[in-house]
Amino acid sequence: MSIAKMSFLQILVGALLVFLVSGLPAGNSSSNATVISSTPGLVLLFTASINLANFSPPIPIPAGQRIVAAVDNGKLSGNALSGNIQGGVSVIDILEGGQAIVINVRSYGLTSDGVPFLVDESGIGTSADGFSRL
């Protein structure tokens, strides 16, 4: 995979964080039992996009190659959280000729109300789809 095709990685790294909504706790005064009173679901909290820069030359690793890139900047936007990504680092493993792509990103910045944050993200995917965990 050439560096020119890395825009997919920027999209994959642009994480969608979802939060598992649990039910409301219910109990009585004689026990600490919790009862789930609603069906779990997914709620979109925010989206993130990052811009990568200063890509390393490909580093040979078993079954593929590794590319390290700086997180230049980015943006968080959503109802639950918004802010600016100020920097970080991304390690991208391209395995089996692009059949699998593994991404690990650590980025930092400030929320719109001035609170600093640090995010670790890891994901795996292909050029068509992928999964990510924050």
Side-chain angles (χ1 to χ4, degrees), residues 13-65:
V13 172
L16 295 178
L17 175 66
V18 292
F19 180 78
L20 182 61
V21 178
S22 63
L24 300 173
N28 59 41
S29 59
S30 63
S31 75
N32 290 329
T34 300
V35 176
I36 302 298
S37 61
S38 66
T39 304
L42 300 176
V43 175
L44 178 66
L45 296 179
F46 67 90
T47 60
S49 63
I50 64 170
N51 297 309
L52 301 177
N54 302 322
F55 288 88
S56 72
I59 302 164
I61 60 172
Q65 60 186 353

Side-chain angles (χ1 to χ4, degrees), residues 13-122:
V13 172
L16 295 178
L17 175 66
V18 292
F19 180 78
L20 182 61
V21 178
S22 63
L24 300 173
N28 59 41
S29 59
S30 63
S31 75
N32 290 329
T34 300
V35 176
I36 302 298
S37 61
S38 66
T39 304
L42 300 176
V43 175
L44 178 66
L45 296 179
F46 67 90
T47 60
S49 63
I50 64 170
N51 297 309
L52 301 177
N54 302 322
F55 288 88
S56 72
I59 302 164
I61 60 172
Q65 60 186 353
R66 173 171 288 166
I67 298 172
V68 179
V71 174
D72 194 33
N73 59 51
K75 186 166 186 71
L76 303 174
S77 56
N79 292 332
L81 185 65
S82 62
N84 292 308
I85 297 170
Q86 298 174 329
V89 65
S90 173
V91 177
I92 306 154
D93 293 340
I94 303 167
L95 307 173
E96 302 294 335
Q99 296 297 315
I101 300 170
V102 179
I103 297 175
N104 292 290
V105 179
R106 177 171 277 191
S107 57
Y108 62 90
L110 290 173
T111 63
S112 58
D113 55 354
V115 176
F117 65 85
L118 175 68
V119 174
D120 279 319
E121 178 190 6
S122 59

Side-chain angles (χ1 to χ4, degrees), residues 48 114 134:
L134 290 178

Side-chain angles (χ1 to χ4, degrees), residues 8 12 101-103 121-126 129-134:
F8 156 72
L12 182 61
I101 300 170
V102 179
I103 297 175
E121 178 190 6
S122 59
I124 188 167
T126 67
D129 57 21
F131 298 94
S132 186
R133 176 179 61 106
L134 290 178

